Amino acid sequence: MDDRGACGCFQCDMVIQRHQYWRLSLSRQQGYLGWCLIILQRHETDAANLTDEEIKELWSIVRSLRRALERLFHPDHFNYAFLGNVVRHVHMHVMPRYQAPREFGGREFVDRHWGWFSIPGAEEAPQALLDDLRAAIQAQLAR
């Protein structure tokens, strides 16, 4: 199945959950352990144009995801960002932040920019690690 939105402008092949207005996806870049994207199903380029229903569902997803990530990794903080610099399609980045290293799947994750802007880099995590991470988040969301 092709996981692109109907507009085709956002490749989203690490889907965790689908909702009426949004889909929750794991970022292939895990510069921050548990970094996820919440992507609007319809094409829109400006978050200020979201409907009341879309906003309500978005924050419900954010709260559920936050609880799941807290149970899994105990982040010290979260960053939430609408950027759109690379992909002109409304999506929110949810980036857990860590004051100390965390371990998952035999790999250590270090937040090298703790206490500063999120600058996660562009390196993609190995597919096996992404698959395990997606499954772990899905399991926590199902609780």
Side-chain angles (χ1 to χ4, degrees):
M1 179 199 305
D2 184 8
D3 283 328
R4 287 180 181 260
C7 63
C9 67
F10 210 114
Q11 182 64 40
C12 179
D13 55 358
M14 293 301 298
V15 175
I16 296 170
Q17 284 183 330
R18 293 181 187 279
H19 298 267
Q20 182 175 358
Y21 302 109
W22 302 89
R23 63 185 178 269
L24 172 60
S25 179
L26 184 66
S27 174
R28 289 189 158 283
Q29 300 154 346
Q30 286 296 303
Y32 302 115
L33 179 61
W35 178 8
C36 291
L37 304 171
I38 305 172
I39 303 160
L40 186 62
Q41 297 282 36
R42 69 177 175 88
H43 182 71
E44 175 58 63
T45 60
D46 191 334
N49 293 331
L50 294 173
T51 67
D52 291 344
E53 294 83 11
E54 290 166 342
I55 292 167
K56 182 178 178 182
E57 186 178 82
L58 171 66
W59 288 108
S60 175
I61 297 165
V62 168
R63 284 189 294 273
S64 295
L65 176 60
R66 180 185 170 109
R67 284 190 300 270
L69 293 172
E70 285 172 335
R71 287 190 296 265
L72 282 168
F73 306 119
H74 310 287
D76 298 297
H77 185 68
F78 284 87
N79 288 153
Y80 307 98
F82 288 104
L83 300 172
N85 296 315
V86 176
V87 179
R88 301 275 182 194
H89 184 108
V90 172
H91 60 288
M92 175 187 273
H93 295 260
V94 177
M95 294 172 279
R97 302 295 305 270
Y98 304 95
Q99 191 169 8
R102 299 298 195 272
E103 188 274 330
F104 181 80
R107 181 175 173 182
E108 184 178 69
F109 292 81
V110 178
D111 184 342
R112 299 193 192 288
H113 302 285
W114 168 255
W116 195 243
F117 297 109
S118 47
I119 309 169
E123 178 184 333
E124 289 190 5
Q127 187 63 48
L129 183 123
L130 292 170
D131 291 339
D132 291 347
L133 184 53
R134 178 169 59 175
I137 293 170
Q138 284 172 326
Q140 286 299 315
L141 287 168
R143 283 182 59 181

